[in-house]
Amino acid sequence: MTPVRLDLRDNVALISIDSPPVNALSHAVREGLMSCIEKADADPDVQAIVIICDGRTFIAGADIREFDMPPQAPHLPDIVDRIDACETPVVAAIHGTALGGGLEVAMGCHYRVALASAKLGLPEVKLGLLPGASGTQRLPRLVGAEMALSMMLSGNPIPAQAALDAGLIDMVVTTDDLAGAALDFARGAIDKDPRHVRDLPVADVAEDLFDKSRASIAKKARGLFSPERIIRCVELSTQLPYAEGCKAERELFMECKDSPQSAGLRHAFFAERAVNKIPGIGKETQVRDIEKVAVLGAGTMGAGIAYSCLNAGYSVHLLDNNEEGLERGRATIHKLFEGGIARGKISKEKMLETIERLTLSENYDDLSDADLVIEAVFENMAIKKEVFGKLDQVCKQGAILASNTSTLDVDEIAAATKRPQDVIGLHFFSPAHIMRLLEIIRGKETSAEVIATSLKLTRALGKIGVVVGNCFGFVGNRMLYSYGRENQFLLLEGAPPEQIDKVLYDWGMAMGPNAVGDLAGLDVGYKARQERTDLPDDPRFYRIADMLAELGRFGQKTGKGMYFYEEGSRQPTPDPQVQIMIEKESRALGIERRDIGETEIIERCIYGLINEGARILGEGIALRASDIDVIWTNGYGFPRHLGGPMHYADTVGLEKIYERVCDFKEEFGAEYWEPADLLKGLAQKGSSFADFDKKTPTK
Ligand code: T1G
């Protein structure tokens, strides 16, 4: 059954694509589209053609899954050029999203009409690619080089009205009858000469446009492969005839497609969609209604969580056990709204309307009608158990009791209630209103309904929820311990903090571990370690971090941490006092300091992370290796273009990783470097984490 059909509406041919879920340009769709176009253009009774899609969206691009397969004809550039070559006027009728190859097909058409709610864009850069079917040559001809560049370098879609204003489309359809409006528009175009986009000139271009663009990507797209090639293509669109520009575009597209970066970004795309597939939790799983959310604890995290819930449309009840705390929380939320107004993200009116849904109190009884309670109090087990005990008494049956704990045992917290099936961990990342990641920790009693409801809440908050099992630090923070441990040891063995940070930053991390420690606050990690009773009996273990915290050097918030910070600055400055302290401590611990190279820093920090990830996967705390990748790319600044630590391990090869872990075990001992059984098993089989994931059930 071909996913493309051709119907005649009097003298207009209606070509409809029906290939759920997003009408991606799979081989079957391309074949169907090409044959329908040729048939309609050759039919003397056809005086105009409309291309439209069924389902929730217009074509959302090439079929990304096919990029790992040998290319099959007809190829998209040929289809786009065949549409443009039609003597019969062709109109694209757009709803939902016209993205990537979908917008290229639309720009191959002579006219474009779109529903007001539609969005149009070329997001290829987010996949490490560039528009490879004439998009880099056609968009500048329609909207000018400057706007074309900003659309392709950001990858963000624009709404229909902005597309009309820019000349990308010819009409915004304000009725719901898109097909009818498009057919009328097509009939109106019959007597007009088709407007062949390929023949349009690129409007005048500012002298310094491309230099400016290159300067802007130097920081924003640090280390990325495709942005420079996008700029090159648009530059060529202003210098070369259309066909030659497309030839150059194709070559640069193939370079991007075959780059490890695109493989990493494509992995991240599908990994973020796979997190919703939880065995035993499907569309049939009951979901509870959430209207009233109570947030317990008005500190930085509590206020950020409350703000996110308010913006997602929930009524929010913020509770704290003292008036000052409550006032601080209220002030933080107001400050976040003012920031949103200043950035044009929300209007004053919308803020006032939204803040109406916020209530404050110091009384637990006010939580009795909450559908969901998110506890965000001090990271201490005794306090959390006391809080959950109280919640168990006051909250209505069926209310979900969630803890924002970042490390503590969710089952132990749940045991403080008589309803452990309604208890779950919802681990937000700081700042809670910005970070997209949410670790959803299922306890051994947590019900499928509560997990399904938490996943729905996560989507409503515009976040990515990854369901993980319960252990100390869950997935993200447990792996962070290995990464941070090696950083701490490297400091004692001879690598200055600024060297470690520069090496990992240049390698791709958003920030080095020592700068991250200062940003998050060294007191936070210190208190969490004080809570633990299972830490290694090793005087070197987080020694420097503990010493800094005990000196009150908490990082940015105290102007001093591992680094020194000028008043009001977030710029880390190496502090000779700290270096002296570290060297003195090395001597006290009998550690002979040495010069440490870049490779060793990367391998010890990153391979430690991977080995712990493999252990977590082997224990079933994470369902998929790709889930671990989503957690680290969205929660810990791991470079998205490397796909995440587990995907990166596959690109290096698990044999190599396993071998190096064994070397480190030899050199530094089994306590920290015992290879994970899963890593050993996969490496010895010549297998990969991707192979492991293929065996993970999705239902
Ligand atoms: N190819 C293959 N599968 C796709 C797909 C695509 N382009 N887009 C979505 N899917 C799958 C997705 O994996 C999921 O599957 C389901 O559709 C629903 O997606 C030559 C080189 C359109 C805004 O980058 O941004 O064209 O998990 O959960 O939240 O120049 O999907 O259900 O099995 O994301 O409503 C450029 C990518 C390609 C757009 C809808 N296009 N897609 O969001 O649903 S490169 C893109 C999206 C290209 C040409 C170049 C979003 C969406 P499953 P979803 P959603």
Side-chain angles (χ1 to χ4, degrees):
M1 174 49 190
T2 168
V4 186
R5 42 180 214 284
L6 171 59
D7 305 304
L8 272 188
R9 300 292 176 83
D10 304 330
N11 57 353
V12 180
L14 188 63
I15 297 177
S16 306
I17 300 170
D18 182 12
S19 179
V22 295
N23 293 311
L25 290 153
S26 62
H27 180 236
V29 169
R30 294 196 312 274
E31 270 191 325
L33 185 54
M34 184 64 118
S35 78
C36 287
I37 281 286
E38 286 175 336
K39 202 161 166 215
D41 194 31
D43 184 336
D45 297 335
V46 171
Q47 296 183 291
I49 300 170
V50 169
I51 298 177
I52 195 165
C53 290
D54 294 352
R56 63 181 169 168
T57 181
F58 190 74
I59 304 165
D63 188 328
I64 304 168
R65 293 185 194 286
E66 291 189 359
F67 286 136
D68 301 321
M69 306 170 192
Q72 289 181 285
H75 302 298
L76 190 54
D78 305 329
I79 296 171
V80 173
D81 284 346
R82 178 65 188 83
I83 294 171
D84 196 338
C86 287
E87 281 317 313
T88 314
V90 186
V91 178
I94 298 167
H95 75 293
T97 54
L99 300 175
L103 183 55
E104 289 171 306
V105 165
M107 293 192 288
C109 299
H110 307 126
Y111 304 99
R112 287 149 293 282
V113 302
L115 283 182
S117 57
K119 292 213 165 111
L120 302 88
L122 294 176
E124 284 84 347
V125 71
K126 296 182 178 178
L127 298 168
L129 299 167
L130 55 83
S134 77
T136 67
Q137 304 305 301
R138 288 176 181 273
L139 190 60
R141 284 172 162 77
L142 284 167
V143 304
E146 184 159 0
M147 179 164 181
L149 264 180
S150 85
M151 285 181 68
M152 286 186 251
L153 290 176
S154 72
N156 298 328
I158 62 172
Q161 188 55 49
L164 179 69
D165 301 344
L168 178 53
I169 65 172
D170 303 280
M171 182 175 81
V172 170
V173 177
T174 49
T175 67
D176 293 341
D177 178 14
L178 175 62
L183 289 166
D184 290 349
F185 187 96
R187 291 195 183 93
I190 290 173
D191 303 328
K192 284 195 254 169
D193 291 339
R195 189 163 166 263
H196 299 284
V197 175
R198 60 179 293 154
D199 301 335
L200 299 175
V202 178
D204 294 350
V205 182
E207 207 42 48
D208 59 356
L209 172 63
F210 300 110
D211 293 347
K212 269 202 191 141
S213 295
R214 287 191 170 95
S216 77
I217 64 166
K219 185 143 183 13
K220 268 190 289 182
R222 182 174 67 90
L224 294 184
F225 191 78
S226 69
E228 166 49 37
R229 286 159 179 76
I230 288 173
I231 296 174
R232 184 73 191 121
C233 287
V234 178
E235 196 169 29
L236 290 171
S237 77
T238 65
Q239 299 163 353
L240 299 175
Y242 170 81
E244 287 170 46
C246 282
K247 192 163 165 301
E249 173 197 90
R250 197 72 201 159
E251 284 156 22
L252 292 167
F253 171 78
M254 295 312 283
E255 282 180 20
C256 293
K257 185 177 84 63
D258 299 336
S259 72
Q261 285 201 3
S262 181
L265 290 164
R266 294 192 320 252
H267 168 79
F269 176 87
F270 287 115
E272 284 169 6
R273 279 144 186 90
V275 294
N276 297 315
K277 301 181 174 108
I278 315 290
I281 295 176
K283 291 197 174 52
E284 72 294 341
T285 308
Q286 191 66 30
V287 169
R288 297 182 191 169
D289 292 335
I290 306 284
E291 276 169 33
K292 290 200 177 92
V293 177
V295 177
L296 233 148
T300 313
M301 285 305 285
I305 294 169
Y307 176 76
S308 302
C309 292
L310 282 169
N311 280 320
Y314 298 104
S315 298
V316 175
H317 197 75
L318 183 61
L319 184 131
D320 204 298
N321 54 14
N322 65 65
E323 202 174 331
E324 299 79 50
L326 213 46
E327 178 41 37
R328 232 190 351 264
R330 190 199 63 72
T332 306
I333 292 171
H334 275 257
K335 202 153 159 263
L336 292 173
F337 274 115
E338 272 128 33
I341 293 172
R343 287 192 312 282
K345 292 267 185 258
I346 187 172
S347 67
K348 181 82 179 169
E349 298 64 44
K350 183 75 181 151
M351 169 198 167
L352 295 174
E353 179 206 311
T354 307
I355 213 119
E356 285 287 305
R357 285 186 268 104
L358 175 65
T359 50
L360 308 174
S361 116
E362 294 169 49
N363 186 345
Y364 270 77
D365 294 338
D366 295 338
L367 305 185
S368 58
D369 62 348
D371 304 308
L372 164 68
V373 180
I374 304 175
E375 161 276 312
V377 301
F378 199 57
E379 187 74 350
N380 171 284
M381 183 55 88
I383 295 175
K384 296 214 187 262
K385 288 166 87 169
E386 186 203 334
V387 166
F388 274 74
K390 281 191 196 154
L391 291 176
D392 197 25
Q393 285 153 19
V394 297
C395 291
K396 67 180 181 183
Q397 284 311 310
I400 295 176
L401 308 181
S403 172
N404 177 50
T405 177
S406 57
T407 56
L408 298 175
D409 183 339
V410 170
D411 288 327
E412 192 176 340
I413 293 172
T417 75
K418 296 182 213 51
R419 50 174 114 179
Q421 74 284 1
D422 294 332
V423 175
I424 194 163
L426 291 182
H427 176 206
F428 287 77
F429 285 72
S430 178
H433 65 290
I434 292 176
M435 295 297 280
R436 287 180 69 204
L437 181 66
L438 201 56
E439 249 182 344
I440 300 173
I441 301 98
R442 63 190 308 168
K444 61 178 181 291
E445 311 279 345
T446 306
S447 72
E449 216 175 278
V450 168
I451 296 170
T453 308
S454 301
L455 281 166
K456 185 173 178 209
L457 170 95
T458 307
R459 287 191 288 273
L461 295 174
K463 297 186 182 300
I464 300 176
V466 182
V467 176
V468 299
N470 181 36
C471 65
F472 184 90
F474 319 127
V475 171
N477 284 345
R478 177 173 158 183
M479 291 169 71
L480 185 64
Y481 259 86
S482 311
Y483 177 75
R485 174 199 73 219
E486 288 307 308
N487 170 52
Q488 293 287 318
F489 288 168
L490 288 161
L491 290 169
L492 287 166
E493 293 166 32
E498 61 272 19
Q499 180 204 8
I500 298 170
D501 281 8
K502 181 170 183 331
V503 166
L504 288 165
Y505 177 79
D506 292 349
W507 181 80
M509 295 300 285
M511 198 186 259
N514 297 295
V516 169
D518 278 1
L519 175 69
L522 297 174
D523 52 327
V524 179
Y526 180 74
K527 288 181 191 132
R529 286 190 296 278
Q530 298 301 307
E531 278 269 330
R532 295 191 66 172
T533 54
D534 60 343
L535 292 179
D537 175 18
D538 178 345
R540 302 169 307 143
F541 193 80
Y542 280 81
R543 181 70 187 130
I544 300 303
D546 287 350
M547 291 175 75
L548 292 169
E550 284 153 9
L551 289 166
R553 298 180 64 118
F554 298 157
Q556 288 189 12
K557 59 182 153 187
T558 55
K560 285 180 182 177
M562 184 67 77
Y563 296 106
F564 169 75
Y565 299 85
E566 297 288 350
E567 184 69 32
S569 161
R570 288 172 174 275
Q571 184 58 37
T573 308
D575 188 333
Q577 293 309 316
V578 172
Q579 197 52 39
I580 292 166
M581 180 191 90
I582 295 174
E583 290 169 9
K584 187 160 163 275
E585 195 57 23
S586 299
R587 283 193 298 279
L589 292 167
I591 298 170
E592 198 176 324
R593 296 177 61 78
R594 57 190 173 87
D595 290 341
I596 297 174
E598 195 174 308
T599 304
E600 179 178 351
I601 291 172
I602 292 168
E603 289 189 343
R604 283 174 63 179
C605 291
I606 303 297
Y607 292 7
L609 197 64
I610 293 165
N611 192 36
E612 192 62 27
R615 213 183 307 284
I616 285 170
L617 207 48
E619 293 167 14
I621 297 289
L623 267 175
R624 286 164 286 254
S626 66
D627 286 1
I628 296 176
D629 289 334
V630 171
I631 287 171
W632 269 78
T633 51
N634 287 284
Y636 296 85
F638 193 96
R640 195 180 160 76
H641 63 264
L642 296 180
M646 311 314 273
H647 175 83
Y648 171 71
D650 281 353
T651 59
V652 172
L654 298 192
E655 290 93 306
K656 162 102 187 275
I657 305 272
Y658 174 64
E659 199 186 295
R660 292 301 287 140
V661 169
C662 293
D663 295 344
F664 291 142
K665 176 184 175 184
E666 250 342 276
E667 196 172 349
F668 302 114
E671 176 160 29
Y672 301 122
W673 285 102
E674 184 59 48
D677 294 343
L678 181 67
L679 175 63
K680 180 178 178 183
L682 292 173
Q684 289 175 340
K685 275 190 299 185
S687 185
S688 68
F689 291 124
D691 294 337
F692 175 91
D693 280 359
K694 287 193 189 104
K695 298 194 192 79
T696 303
T698 57
K699 289 199 179 57

